[in-house]
DNA sequence: ACCTGAACACCGTTCAAGT
DNA sequence: ACCTGAACACCGTTCAAGT
């Protein structure tokens, strides 16, 4: 029996759109991405197979909504991490760690966020905007570090892309188990990557 | 009518395993990853729906074989690029460019190589080995640069992971269209990433 | 050994219909 | 407006059978 106030129960399943998203997230986390079907989501939400079409144009729209939710929550985690740092450089490291931690805590969602099903953003304007916000967030952080004299000059947008690329690549290789044989922990790899990004590989 | 010598035609479709791989690659490139089904591959190869099961245990095995083929061809391209450089540093840049170019020339295959369907390498020992060879290749290149005094000390395996992560992340963000708004070409972004990897972001 | 046809349990999506 | 049931064209996989 739903406990929500009547005003938010526009039909007898409460907020069905949210219920479908919750069901999708549960299936994704517990049963894996290959089980994430519109029919399974409908079953878990307790409605007929065709009910989701009232809220999502097609399967891709549901996946996009899940991806967008992931970007949103990851952005929140990064924001919280940024506020915790005592110095700008510590803040950047905290943000990097928050990013990597989010991906490893919710690997299935992270994969969906960057997966092939939503890689073509045509018709997914909201998702494009939310994903772009992550880059904007990193760009603002880079800009702040430049103003503080902690990193050198250069187009902050390009530097931000390189920073994001490093984090994203590290996460993907790690999730794919492709860093398992280097004899270094996840934190050690983040550390090494941060060191290279700050000081470079060239001898000083 | 197949023109191969009789010795290689173990059955009337020639080398059916290879024919199925070719069909899969064609479908992947032309119709996209969502059309890559065992049945479609069989149809295109002109055999019954169940014939592929003589050569691939299941759909995942076919996808893994396609991914492995991709890793193999990408490794070849990197090897060729490495030999072309006049100096070690130019060679590294050439390898980076070859990597990024391969991914953009065969985006569907690249996505499959790092996609969720084969991310769990359990039971895919050959794929794990071929993927690991890419890391070994980068590690050897880093080691060579260290010996030549062109990059500083440090565990070459960890430095290689960071280098690969940067390339992989750049490729994925670019393929996802998430670098479209920074006003920089693909080459410019590779250039910027290479600069940061070599000299770092910190002011000198 | 290699391939086929029928069958089962799924799936996305559409359509007419119910309240 | 919101939801359902039936239907269509797919899919992965198994099984008995054919040469």
């Amino acid at each position: 029996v739903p406990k929500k106030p009547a005003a938010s129960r526009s039909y007898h399943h409460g907020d069905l759109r949210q219920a479908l998203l919750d069901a999708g997230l549960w299936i994704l986390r517990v049963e894996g991405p290959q089980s994430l079907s519109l029919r399974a989501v409908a079953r878990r939400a307790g409605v007929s197979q065709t009910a989701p079409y009232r809220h999502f144009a097609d399967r891709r729209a549901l996946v996009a909504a899940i991806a967008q939710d992931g970007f949103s929550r990851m952005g929140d985690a990064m924001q919280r991490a940024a506020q915790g740092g005592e110095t700008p450089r510590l803040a950047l490291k905290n943000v990097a760690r928050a990013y990597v931690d989010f991906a490893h805590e919710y690997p299935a969602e992270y994969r969906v966020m960057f997966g092939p099903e939503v890689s073509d953003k045509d018709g997914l304007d909201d998702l494009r905007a939310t994903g772009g916000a992550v880059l904007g967030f990193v760009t603002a952080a880079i800009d702040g570090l430049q103003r503080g004299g902690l990193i050198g000059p250069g187009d902050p947008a390009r530097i931000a892309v390189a920073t994001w690329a490093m984090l994203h690549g590290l996460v993907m290789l790690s999730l794919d188990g492709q860093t398992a044989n280097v004899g270094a922990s996840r934190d050690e790899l983040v550390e090494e990557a941060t060191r290279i990004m700050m000081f470079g590989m060239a001898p000083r």
Side-chain angles (χ1 to χ4, degrees), chain A residues 6 11 21 27 61 65 69-70 74 100 115 117 129 141 145 148 169 185 188 196 200:
Chain A
Y11 27 86
L21 281 178
I27 291 172
D69 186 61
M74 188 170 77
V100 174
E117 292 174 301
L145 289 170
S185 70
E188 285 171 330
I196 291 176

Side-chain angles (χ1 to χ4, degrees), chain A residues 2 4 8-17 19 42 45-48 51:
Chain A
K4 291 188 175 184
S8 78
R9 285 193 284 122
S10 26
Y11 27 86
H12 58 277
H13 279 283
D15 188 348
L16 180 55
R17 193 191 134 90
V47 292
S48 79

Side-chain angles (χ1 to χ4, degrees), chain A residues 104-151:
Chain A
H104 282 85
E105 193 169 351
Y106 308 106
E109 283 143 271
Y110 190 86
R111 276 217 166 81
V112 165
M113 285 156 61
F114 294 96
E117 292 174 301
V118 295
S119 64
D120 182 356
K121 304 285 189 302
D122 283 3
L124 304 177
D125 293 342
D126 287 352
L127 179 60
R128 199 205 316 266
T130 315
V134 173
L135 183 56
F137 187 71
V138 177
T139 305
I142 296 292
D143 195 54
L145 289 170
Q146 281 181 328
R147 282 173 207 279
L150 287 156
I151 71 175

Side-chain angles (χ1 to χ4, degrees), chain A residues 2 23 25 29 34 38 59-60 63 69-70 73 80 97 107 117 130 134-136 149 152 161 171-172 184 203:
Chain A
L25 220 48
R29 290 174 182 172
Q34 74 286 352
L38 272 178
R59 184 196 137 86
R60 185 160 163 265
V63 172
D69 186 61
R73 285 183 296 122
R80 278 195 304 275
R97 207 175 295 268
E117 292 174 301
T130 315
V134 173
L135 183 56
V161 167
V171 160
M172 291 302 281

Side-chain angles (χ1 to χ4, degrees), chain A residues 29-42:
Chain A
R29 290 174 182 172
V30 177
E31 302 185 352
Q34 74 286 352
S35 301
L36 185 65
S37 69
L38 272 178
R39 285 164 102 115
V41 165

